[in-house]
Amino acid sequence: MNIGQAAEASGVTAKMIRYYESIELISAASRTGSGYRQYDRVDVQTLRFIKRARELGFSIERIKTLLELWEDRGRRSSEVRTLARQYIAELDADIARLQSIRNQLQHLADTCGGNERPECPILDELALTGIGA
């Protein structure tokens, strides 16, 4: 199948397929005599794997590792679980950081009169320390 068909079958745009090939996330596609990329069912399955991993927020580097593990039939599932748990810990830290920022901003918004007066604790606080500093 050509790149357009592979894109449709996998849900990954042709532009992203070319990008994944350029960064060697996927193998270079075979080419027809006239130079058109050709993909098979295994390529489409790999693209779907990448798409799902991206939807879960995995980085390109982690996806490379996951693909290696996926293709390695001698792998240990503990390696995959360890990778997933590392990512979960990072997500938990990001969530905590974002929740803290949200709470700070909520406090500032609650203390703002929101009236016609120029005093604004939100701007005052940003001028002093910056949110999240």
Side-chain angles (χ1 to χ4, degrees):
M1 71 183 73
N2 66 32
I3 195 167
Q5 293 165 325
E8 186 175 329
S10 66
V12 176
T13 66
K15 181 178 180 179
M16 289 306 295
I17 293 172
R18 286 187 206 92
Y19 172 69
Y20 292 154
E21 188 176 314
S22 75
I23 63 169
E24 300 178 351
L25 188 59
I26 60 172
S27 300
S30 61
R31 301 278 183 148
T32 65
S34 54
Y36 290 101
R37 288 175 170 89
Q38 288 291 292
Y39 299 90
D40 61 22
R41 147 186 97 65
V42 173
D43 296 322
V44 170
Q45 187 176 12
T46 300
L47 290 167
R48 287 179 180 154
F49 182 101
I50 293 167
K51 181 178 189 253
R52 182 64 180 135
R54 292 296 293 157
E55 289 171 348
L56 289 172
F58 283 101
S59 68
I60 294 295
E61 286 305 312
R62 280 210 171 110
I63 293 172
K64 283 182 181 181
T65 302
L66 288 168
L67 282 169
E68 290 169 5
L69 290 167
W70 184 46
E71 293 166 354
D72 177 8
R73 293 295 171 204
R75 71 179 175 265
R76 295 187 336 238
S77 64
S78 62
E79 295 174 77
V80 182
R81 183 174 67 179
T82 297
L83 189 66
R85 286 190 170 163
Q86 287 170 348
Y87 182 46
I88 290 167
E90 290 172 18
L91 288 172
D92 287 342
D94 288 346
I95 289 167
R97 183 183 59 80
L98 289 170
Q99 188 65 48
S100 174
I101 291 169
R102 185 214 173 277
N103 291 344
Q104 291 174 54
L105 190 54
Q106 182 68 53
H107 172 74
L108 293 173
D110 289 346
T111 60
C112 179
N115 52 32
E116 301 301 320
R117 300 180 66 194
E119 293 83 16
C120 180
I122 299 169
L123 296 177
D124 294 342
E125 177 69 20
L126 291 172
L128 288 176
T129 62
I131 289 192

